[in-house]
Amino acid sequence: METISYSEVSAYRRCPKSWEYKYKERIKRKRKGIRLLIGSILHEMLDAYVERKIDKTYDGNDPWDVLENYAEQYSAYFEEERDKYGDVIGNCGQIFEAYLRKYRRDELTYEASEIKIEIDLSQLGSNAIPVTFIGFVDKIAVDPQKRRWIMDHKFMKSIPSADDRFSELQLLLYVWTFGMQEPSIKIDGVCWDYARSKPSTVPEVLKNGQLSKRKNLDCDPYTYLKTVRANNLNDADYVDMLELLEGKEDTFFERVFLPLPGTEMVVEVVSDFLQTTAEIQAKRDEGRCARSMSPFNCATCDFRPLCEAEVRGLDADFIRKSEYEERGSHSGN
């Protein structure tokens, strides 16, 4: 039976042509896009960290083993790419350390990490579709009030607003599918665990040997004070900046807890998901898909070089062979 994931549905909604490349032709970039690479690194580091908290006998990689393994992968990127993106590995290490500082007194107790969800959609009566939904819940966590939360880690350029978060419907779908798969486990709500995908900015040292005191410095107090001391400067000379930056760490990390959505909202989200799934199933054996040609989508699309070559009548075959490779067997991801 075919499988499908929320990622596949999202890809189809963004651009059917991009979906065609990834899920129908089964190709991928030989090297991950930088945003995807950073997200993968930090997700796996957090998974390794939480697995050790859940199971004291866990003998898999620790977070720093994960980072070291990715360092080998990143070294294979072209020198021009590494120059463009900078010290990705070092930055991920800084982000992860900052995350641990932010939640050093974490009140959550973790029950599970990377939980696989698998639901046969052909069993849904009138909405039956011959496909299996597959997804992964990042974490299941319990707070001091014994409320259980489905958690989703998000590494983003900036923390989204409440309005932006309204379109983050993945967790609602996971609440529905997890409830079907594990009906005996009560879920009280969802938690978006946001982190920015860039580390705190290190303040520059001015020509006079002092640190910058720019009011708009994107830096947390810990990083600023660390830089003061690394340059053998006097803490007292920078009290004003440390006070200004107080609370700045909250702009790098945020956890948003929301109770379970109402039944009507879940029904709407699930209905939309099933409708798109049916459209995808119909497209699997049909001809080519249309391009969305959206400036926003194209700017972040892994298939932009190939797509542009085809549109412009360039040597698309050469780009396909040089920059892309086959994906593994169809897994819904």
Side-chain angles (χ1 to χ4, degrees):
M1 182 179 289
E2 291 280 358
T3 62
I4 198 162
S5 67
Y6 184 83
S7 297
E8 181 171 355
V9 167
S10 295
Y12 184 84
R13 288 172 176 172
R14 283 194 303 272
C15 176
K17 189 63 178 180
S18 177
W19 168 85
E20 182 181 348
Y21 289 132
K22 184 174 182 179
Y23 293 98
K24 192 172 180 178
E25 296 188 24
R26 304 297 300 166
I27 60 174
K28 65 176 183 178
R29 290 292 291 267
K30 290 182 178 179
R31 290 176 295 278
K32 287 184 178 181
I34 202 63
R35 293 197 310 167
L36 182 58
L37 176 66
I38 291 171
S40 296
I41 293 171
L42 293 170
H43 262 98
E44 289 186 32
M45 291 180 78
L46 273 174
D47 180 47
Y49 173 72
V50 170
E51 286 285 6
R52 288 173 174 270
K53 295 187 74 171
I54 295 172
D55 181 3
K56 302 303 182 183
T57 65
Y58 176 76
D59 60 357
N61 285 343
D62 68 22
W64 307 110
D65 293 329
V66 171
L67 191 62
E68 184 177 348
N69 290 339
Y70 271 103
E72 295 180 14
Q73 292 186 33
Y74 189 57
S75 67
Y77 280 55
F78 294 126
E79 184 177 352
E80 294 82 0
E81 292 177 302
R82 297 198 304 272
D83 289 342
K84 177 181 178 181
Y85 300 127
D87 185 12
V88 168
I89 302 303
N91 289 345
C92 285
Q94 292 179 50
I95 294 168
F96 186 74
E97 288 177 342
Y99 182 94
L100 296 184
R101 285 196 304 274
K102 171 68 175 177
Y103 300 112
R104 59 189 176 277
R105 289 186 285 273
D106 195 349
E107 293 185 336
L108 295 177
T109 299
Y110 297 92
E111 293 185 334
S113 179
E114 294 297 317
I115 308 99
K116 185 177 183 179
I117 299 172
E118 193 166 355
I119 298 295
D120 181 357
L121 300 182
S122 67
Q123 300 177 359
L124 297 182
S126 60
N127 291 321
I129 302 174
V131 64
T132 298
F133 170 77
I134 292 179
F136 289 88
V137 172
D138 285 343
K139 304 286 181 291
I140 300 292
V142 178
D143 67 17
Q145 289 73 43
K146 306 301 181 183
R147 295 173 299 191
R148 183 174 286 105
W149 306 89
I150 285 182
M151 292 186 71
D152 188 35
H153 302 303
K154 294 286 188 184
F155 299 98
M156 314 179 77
K157 185 177 181 180
S158 59
I159 305 297
S161 66
D163 288 340
D164 293 334
R165 195 161 46 247
F166 179 77
S167 62
E168 290 283 353
L169 302 176
Q170 180 177 1
L171 278 191
L172 304 191
L173 188 64
Y174 283 3
V175 167
W176 172 68
T177 51
F178 187 84
M180 293 178 63
Q181 181 169 296
E182 303 288 349
S184 63
I185 300 178
K186 181 178 181 292
I187 298 296
D188 296 286
V190 298
C191 170
W192 285 277
D193 188 25
Y194 293 113
R196 290 176 61 187
S197 55
K198 70 172 290 293
S200 174
T201 299
V202 176
E204 61 266 36
V205 179
L206 305 177
K207 291 182 178 179
N208 61 8
Q210 301 300 302
L211 293 190
S212 169
K213 290 190 175 184
R214 287 191 295 111
K215 303 301 182 185
N216 63 345
L217 189 63
D218 194 19
C219 178
D220 61 36
Y222 174 89
T223 301
Y224 197 94
L225 182 59
K226 182 179 179 181
T227 308
V228 168
R229 293 175 178 175
N231 287 276
N232 298 314
L233 299 172
N234 189 343
D235 293 4
D237 294 337
Y238 296 93
V239 170
D240 55 339
M241 274 302 292
L242 294 172
E243 290 178 348
L244 178 68
L245 295 174
E246 186 175 354
K248 187 73 173 180
E249 60 273 11
D250 293 336
T251 67
F252 288 88
F253 304 99
E254 183 180 6
R255 284 178 177 173
V256 178
F257 294 85
L258 290 176
L260 287 180
T263 302
E264 290 184 359
M265 187 173 187
V266 174
V267 168
E268 283 297 312
V269 170
V270 171
S271 297
D272 288 347
F273 175 82
L274 293 175
Q275 179 175 334
T276 306
T277 297
E279 293 174 13
I280 289 173
Q281 289 300 99
K283 279 290 183 182
R284 292 202 194 276
D285 299 320
E286 290 185 4
R288 64 183 296 277
C289 293
R291 295 172 169 85
S292 70
M293 302 299 283
S294 158
F296 175 78
N297 289 339
C298 293
T300 58
C301 181
D302 275 350
F303 300 100
R304 180 170 183 167
L306 177 58
C307 186
E308 284 192 351
E310 290 180 346
V311 170
R312 297 177 186 275
L314 304 178
D315 191 349
D317 287 340
F318 173 77
I319 293 176
R320 184 185 294 269
K321 292 175 182 177
S322 62
E323 296 192 26
Y324 297 88
E325 62 186 4
E326 290 186 7
R327 300 176 69 220
S329 59
H330 188 48
S331 63
N333 296 321

